[in-house]
Amino acid sequence: MQQLERIGELFVRQGLVTQADIASALEKQKQLGGHKQLGDLLVSMGLITEKDRVRVLGEHWGIEFIDLAEVEIPYEVATLVSQDLARRYKVLPVQVEGNRLKLAMKNPLDIFATDEIRLITGKEVEPMIATEEDILLAITEAYRNDGEAVGDVLKTFEDDVSLDNHRGDDENISIEELKNLSEEAPVVKLANMIIAKGILEKASDIHMEPARDCLKIRYRVDGILLDGLVVPKKAQASLTSRIKIMADMDIAEKRAPQDGRISATIERKQYDFRVSTLPAVFGEKIVMRVLDKSNISVGLHKLGLLPHTFEMFESMIMRTYGIILVTGPTGSGKSTTLYSCLAKVNSGEKNILTIEDPVEYELSGITQVGVNNKAGMTFAAGLRSMLRQDPDIIMVGEMRDQETAMIAIEAALTGHLVFSTLHTNDAPGAVARLMDMGVEPFLIASATIGVMAQRLLRKVCEKCKQPYEPPRDAIKRLGMNLDEIDKSKVTFFRGRGCDVCKGSGYKGRVGCYELMPVTDKVRELILAHASAYAIREAAIEAGMKSLKEDAMEKILLGVTTLEESLRVIYAG
């Protein structure tokens, strides 16, 4: 216990957590029978990141920490050990200095690994500590010869004369022939490569788009669609069928949209892919949504909430009853925010239930239920059953209809804390949306604690960040006054473009938020059927920062750029 507390003191000294956080984690550790390490507990509670945990652990052991996401490893250094050995021990050579080999390791105290690598390389091994996820990603990056491998597979299709008659038009191929084609080695290999590349690029979606003379593969990375591969047209039918077989879809049905699901283990991690097909002019378009079930970056402090908004939101989610709504368009990070809230309130003393369509990420200590309309498990039916399960906290993936909204609000009024999402453009708009769904104003006013609207902004790449002078008209469009900005204190940043960010100048994303507390004044306006504008004015008086203001602060902090904010939150 003393050793654990010493590590705890390191976390406190580095300003990552407070003494109260350590006490809370040690108490939770006692409840779990002492099976979980303090650092792991702090990560699962969303108080620190995995990188923070590993960095502090390295300091505790006197071993240097290396952030593999920030370094480029030469191919000839990485391949000093075989890929199998690197994966088995979760290690990667990163640098050679004379007779010394710097080795990134998940467990730098593993003497069997260091001894074996010393024997193989003939060099003295200097262990460094890195996160397991970074090591596995760096191994994939270092050992792949992606361009050649994909090129070889695509050449196989170009050379395959038997496909020349099809030209991607699968109308004249029998179902049996399609099945046989989709199970041949090159097709299987290509489908796996397309999916693996999506994981490697950290894409949220993989698009397969049929054109007149080819099949384009594109990846959505940090919210932007990027070009990937161009597949020969004659491979289209077999590749489409392969994906449909993997997703358990009907390959004979090409004229109606279909939905399916693929589960796969890549780099020893479990991924789910939500697959959707859409018949188009030149064939079926396929989109795969990537769901990393084992690793969602949860934790309120990781979301990018500004201190004022963070304090307000944290106090809201610690309430014992009421409903908290998160709003925004598809792909704006609503699920991550909800999971972060659940991770924060998951103390082990509460019964937490969720109903989602589908369950995107698995959270330990929480009962998660998936919607299954065919079996009669709708949001409303599932929510009704959950209320008979003695819940303390409920999360409803989305309020789509009046019945679900009514049950959720009634649950909030009868002593349960409810989290849910709505599709609206801003926070005050949630009130009008609920009224449109048929919920009475007095119920909305009584049950709602707060509404948070959000968007995702791309972050400036830390590796190639540089100051610049933005265009004056762009500053005006976002509502800033250039004359009021003290240029000696304010610096605008953007990314120059480098290998880490693949020339885009951006790497990763951060949330942009608008948090509306439902105060007495806001309640009065809801009861009086006031306009969204009047509700917005009252919320601003109560301390709400608009999405535009939040974005401006992040620009001035050098987190994002003016252009990115204009793209995401256009201020006319």
Side-chain angles (χ1 to χ4, degrees):
M1 183 64 78
Q2 282 181 335
Q3 188 190 25
L4 289 173
E5 285 172 341
R6 279 205 300 277
I7 294 173
E9 282 163 20
L10 274 174
F11 286 119
V12 174
R13 196 160 66 240
Q14 296 211 3
L16 297 167
V17 292
T18 62
Q19 288 288 1
D21 292 330
I22 296 292
S24 168
L26 289 170
E27 185 57 41
K28 194 166 184 179
Q29 190 187 50
K30 237 184 265 175
Q31 291 169 7
L32 295 169
H35 299 306
K36 209 165 181 184
Q37 296 288 331
L38 178 67
D40 292 331
L41 273 171
L42 291 170
V43 172
S44 68
M45 290 165 76
L47 296 168
I48 62 169
T49 65
E50 178 64 10
K51 272 187 184 162
D52 289 333
R53 182 190 77 81
V54 171
R55 185 166 46 79
V56 171
L57 198 59
E59 190 177 325
H60 180 67
W61 288 337
I63 291 167
E64 188 184 344
F65 169 76
I66 180 167
D67 187 348
L68 291 174
E70 298 292 321
V71 295
E72 275 187 68
I73 301 162
Y75 179 74
E76 61 276 10
V77 173
T79 50
L80 285 170
V81 301
S82 71
Q83 185 172 174
D84 286 343
L85 194 69
R87 287 193 186 285
R88 194 193 325 153
Y89 287 126
K90 295 190 175 66
V91 300
L92 187 67
V94 292
Q95 194 181 349
V96 176
E97 290 176 351
N99 196 40
R100 294 190 72 77
L101 171 67
K102 288 192 171 184
L103 187 71
M105 306 180 71
K106 180 202 172 189
N107 178 11
L109 305 184
D110 186 346
I111 54 170
F112 296 108
T114 50
D115 281 351
E116 190 167 344
I117 288 160
R118 187 183 296 116
L119 283 169
I120 288 167
T121 61
K123 295 185 183 296
E124 283 302 310
V125 174
E126 184 184 320
M128 302 175 84
I129 193 167
T131 67
E132 181 179 356
E133 185 186 7
D134 279 357
I135 289 171
L136 291 173
L137 278 170
I139 287 171
T140 306
E141 186 74 48
Y143 289 92
R144 72 178 178 147
N145 205 340
D146 188 61
E148 281 180 34
V150 173
D152 290 344
V153 176
L154 293 178
K155 194 172 187 310
T156 309
F157 287 106
E158 292 288 4
D159 296 343
D160 193 341
V161 182
S162 67
L163 290 171
D164 281 351
N165 297 329
H166 301 321
R167 295 293 300 148
D169 177 16
D170 50 7
E171 291 297 322
N172 61 356
I173 312 177
S174 70
I175 299 305
E176 200 54 46
E177 201 179 344
L178 262 180
K179 268 188 183 163
N180 293 337
L181 280 170
S182 66
E183 281 162 18
E184 286 179 6
V187 176
V188 173
K189 213 169 181 181
L190 183 58
N192 293 346
M193 280 177 171
I194 287 167
I195 290 170
K197 186 172 165 62
I199 299 295
L200 191 67
E201 301 286 353
K202 296 194 172 175
S204 60
D205 300 86
I206 302 168
H207 290 239
M208 295 171 60
E209 302 173 347
R212 185 182 294 279
D213 52 2
C214 64
L215 177 70
K216 290 180 182 172
I217 311 297
R218 299 206 288 167
Y219 298 96
R220 189 175 293 281
V221 180
D222 290 340
I224 303 292
L225 265 177
L226 305 173
D227 289 336
L229 314 172
V230 176
V231 177
K233 188 68 176 175
K234 57 184 174 182
Q236 182 179 312
S238 51
L239 184 59
T240 301
S241 297
R242 176 65 193 162
I243 299 293
K244 286 170 80 172
I245 286 169
M246 289 169 78
D248 201 20
M249 293 178 181
D250 180 3
I251 63 168
E253 179 56 80
K254 302 166 198 143
R255 297 183 183 182
Q258 292 187 66
D259 290 303
R261 202 176 179 92
I262 297 171
S263 287
T265 303
I266 300 164
E267 306 298 348
R268 299 185 190 181
K269 284 176 73 176
Q270 185 67 34
Y271 291 89
D272 269 10
F273 299 86
R274 209 163 61 205
V275 186
S276 164
T277 69
L278 182 71
V281 177
F282 300 117
E284 288 175 284
K285 175 175 162 67
I286 295 179
V287 176
M288 292 180 265
R289 165 61 58 93
V290 183
L291 306 172
D292 177 355
K293 297 183 78 168
S294 62
N295 184 37
I296 180 174
S297 179
V298 291
L300 284 184
H301 67 291
K302 296 181 205 167
L303 297 178
L305 291 158
L306 294 168
H308 166 76
T309 312
F310 180 90
E311 282 174 33
M312 197 158 53
F313 192 54
E314 193 176 35
S315 68
M316 284 181 187
I317 67 171
M318 299 318 283
R319 300 268 285 270
T320 52
Y321 66 91
I323 189 163
I324 294 170
L325 295 168
V326 180
T327 80
T330 306
S332 59
K334 299 189 296 293
S335 295
T336 304
T337 299
L338 288 180
Y339 283 124
S340 298
C341 294
L342 294 181
K344 178 72 179 173
V345 297
N346 185 16
S347 61
E349 299 158 1
K350 292 186 169 73
N351 179 22
I352 303 175
L353 303 173
T354 78
I355 181 155
E356 306 164 60
D357 183 20
V359 174
E360 290 188 24
Y361 305 97
E362 292 165 1
L363 293 174
S364 60
I366 290 173
T367 304
Q368 293 171 274
V369 178
V371 165
N372 186 341
N373 290 317
K374 286 179 188 169
M377 175 62 88
T378 60
F379 271 118
L383 194 46
R384 272 209 186 85
S385 301
M386 281 160 63
L387 288 171
R388 295 194 285 274
Q389 292 280 314
D390 183 33
D392 295 296
I393 297 166
I394 295 168
M395 191 262 267
V396 184
E398 192 182 334
M399 294 207 294
R400 293 178 182 168
D401 52 56
Q402 183 188 14
E403 190 181 7
T404 309
M406 287 299 294
I407 301 166
I409 282 175
E410 281 167 20
L413 290 170
T414 52
H416 305 92
L417 182 63
V418 180
F419 295 99
S420 192
T421 70
L422 275 176
H423 284 283
T424 64
N425 287 327
D426 58 9
V431 174
R433 178 80 188 96
L434 286 171
M435 287 184 189
D436 286 345
M437 288 164 77
V439 182
E440 292 292 338
F442 74 91
L443 290 174
I444 301 169
S446 309
T448 314
I449 299 170
V451 183
M452 183 146 84
Q454 66 178 78
R455 301 286 188 279
L456 287 176
L457 297 167
R458 287 182 296 165
K459 285 159 67 176
V460 177
C461 174
E462 290 295 328
K463 193 83 174 171
C464 60
K465 195 173 183 177
Q466 62 178 28
Y468 82 114
E469 184 76 38
R472 291 184 75 92
D473 62 325
I475 293 174
K476 280 182 186 168
R477 277 170 69 197
L478 202 61
M480 286 183 180
N481 188 339
L482 200 60
D483 301 323
E484 289 175 10
I485 294 172
D486 184 349
K487 288 187 182 175
S488 63
K489 292 179 184 173
V490 173
T491 310
F492 291 92
F493 289 95
R494 70 174 168 197
R496 186 180 63 254
C498 64
D499 291 340
V500 172
C501 62
K502 296 192 168 47
S504 68
Y506 298 98
K507 184 76 175 168
R509 287 191 288 178
V510 69
C512 179
Y513 303 95
E514 175 177 278
L515 179 60
M516 181 181 88
V518 179
T519 58
D520 290 341
K521 174 73 175 164
V522 170
R523 281 193 190 93
E524 283 173 24
L525 291 168
I526 293 170
L527 290 168
H529 291 73
S531 67
Y533 176 79
I535 293 171
R536 168 174 284 280
E537 291 298 302
I540 288 168
E541 275 179 41
M544 178 179 91
K545 280 186 185 294
S546 69
L547 284 166
K548 196 163 71 171
E549 288 173 312
D550 194 275
M552 279 196 281
E553 285 210 32
K554 290 187 169 86
I555 293 165
L556 298 176
L557 288 167
V559 175
T560 189
T561 66
L562 202 64
E563 290 82 358
E564 176 65 5
S565 301
L566 284 171
R567 183 184 72 82
V568 176
I569 309 150
Y570 177 67

